Amino acid sequence: MEKLTVWFDGGCPLCRREIGLMRRLDRRGAIAFVDVSDGDSACPVDRDALLARFHARENGVMLSGAVAFAAMWRAIPLLRPIGLAARNHYVLAGLEWLYRRFLVLRPALQSLAGARSR
């Protein structure tokens, strides 16, 4: 089984904090984290799409949004129960709904996170 790959926006202070936490929790090294803001990183899809929405590749399949988060959570033992729960259609639909609402708030949250990290 191949390592899960997660693409994230390293230029976003909020994203850096979240991925920093995920890296600490990924004690087994099951996830390859790729900073998409680095112009030299390999992108399997359009870089703007990767910056606008969370993406992961699990077993060769590209995932986006809540399903990508669920794949990441399944790879981390502490979060695995949440990732497994997201295999339920209704749970995943609820997570995707929340994620879409988060994307609307993301610019304001990025500003706050950036101000706090200075």
Side-chain angles (χ1 to χ4, degrees), residues 40-67:
D40 295 331
S41 62
C43 297
V45 297
D46 180 67
R47 187 176 307 278
D48 290 335
L50 290 172
L51 289 168
R53 192 169 160 86
F54 189 75
H55 286 77
R57 182 175 54 219
E58 181 180 44
N59 299 322
V61 177
M62 284 299 295
L63 309 169
S64 174
V67 71

Side-chain angles (χ1 to χ4, degrees), residues 17-60:
R17 286 180 184 203
E18 178 183 14
I19 294 303
L21 173 62
M22 294 300 117
R23 281 184 166 140
R24 287 189 301 278
L25 293 174
D26 181 27
R27 293 186 180 129
R28 298 178 306 149
I31 305 171
F33 294 96
V34 179
D35 180 356
V36 180
S37 69
D38 174 8
D40 295 331
S41 62
C43 297
V45 297
D46 180 67
R47 187 176 307 278
D48 290 335
L50 290 172
L51 289 168
R53 192 169 160 86
F54 189 75
H55 286 77
R57 182 175 54 219
E58 181 180 44
N59 299 322

Side-chain angles (χ1 to χ4, degrees), residues 37-115:
S37 69
D38 174 8
D40 295 331
S41 62
C43 297
V45 297
D46 180 67
R47 187 176 307 278
D48 290 335
L50 290 172
L51 289 168
R53 192 169 160 86
F54 189 75
H55 286 77
R57 182 175 54 219
E58 181 180 44
N59 299 322
V61 177
M62 284 299 295
L63 309 169
S64 174
V67 71
F69 277 102
M72 180 174 65
W73 297 334
R74 283 191 299 274
I76 298 172
L78 182 66
L79 302 176
R80 186 169 173 77
I82 302 167
L84 291 174
R87 286 190 167 154
N88 176 285
H89 172 75
Y90 297 107
V91 173
L92 184 59
L95 289 171
E96 181 64 26
W97 184 87
L98 289 170
Y99 181 65
R100 288 175 186 252
R101 297 315 167 274
F102 162 78
L103 289 176
V104 173
L105 299 174
R106 182 180 174 204
L109 294 172
Q110 285 174 321
S111 295
L112 287 172

